Amino acid sequence: MYLRDGFPGQRLHVLPAPLIKQALQRKLTSRMLVTDAGYFPHAALHGRVRRAGAAQAILIMCADGGGWCELAGAHHEVGPNQLLIIPPRLPHRYYADAQEPWSIWWLHVTGEDVPDLLAAIGLTSSAPTAAITDSYRAFGLAESICDDMARDETSASLAAAAGSAWNLLAQLAAERDGRSKARE
């Protein structure tokens, strides 16, 4: 049996569907909206199966331990200081490692800027994982997103979370761009 959530010390924030619809009508949050975010420490027995995928892109950043994801018919391992990106509407399943379960920061994002930011990161459904170069900064931004979403569900808090998410995705894209330039 696997668990979706309920881990000691977890952080979990999920916007209700009517609020998501309203936020996507506002100019600022129509460009980037964090609909779900959290932190699951030592998430033993964590797992999810989404046969139709999720409406948003999912970013999972592993801080410790490990897990795996099945995406587009292929198996992908995820370890410490690694990023996993699951594109919207793509069937998938992921699980924490049975022996050393992961601790993860995660978020679901949608909006007009998301496709371009994901393309800049350069991960695909056949290669959805990469190392995180500056994990301290990436995890700090994820924590900031959770702080903003925990504050309340006002336009101001959603805009602040969107700004941190935009910053996080831009950082991840810059890291990937830096690696490809270093190889040239």
Side-chain angles (χ1 to χ4, degrees), residues 50-75:
R50 293 187 181 96
R51 288 180 175 78
Q56 310 84 15
I58 302 170
L59 282 78
I60 296 175
M61 297 183 297
C62 183
D64 191 35
W68 59 272
C69 177
E70 188 174 291
L71 188 62
H75 180 89

Side-chain angles (χ1 to χ4, degrees), residues 15-36:
L15 295 180
L19 186 56
I20 292 170
K21 187 175 178 181
Q22 290 172 1
L24 288 172
Q25 299 301 313
R26 290 189 206 96
K27 190 157 184 93
L28 182 61
T29 47
S30 70
R31 303 194 64 78
M32 170 71 71
L33 179 66
V34 180
T35 63
D36 309 69

Side-chain angles (χ1 to χ4, degrees), residues 1-4 44-47 95:
M1 180 180 95
Y2 285 92
L3 305 172
R4 292 172 57 165
L45 301 177
H46 176 237
Y95 296 96

Side-chain angles (χ1 to χ4, degrees), residues 116-132:
D116 290 335
L117 286 162
L118 293 179
I121 294 170
L123 298 179
T124 65
S125 60
S126 60
T129 63
I132 301 170

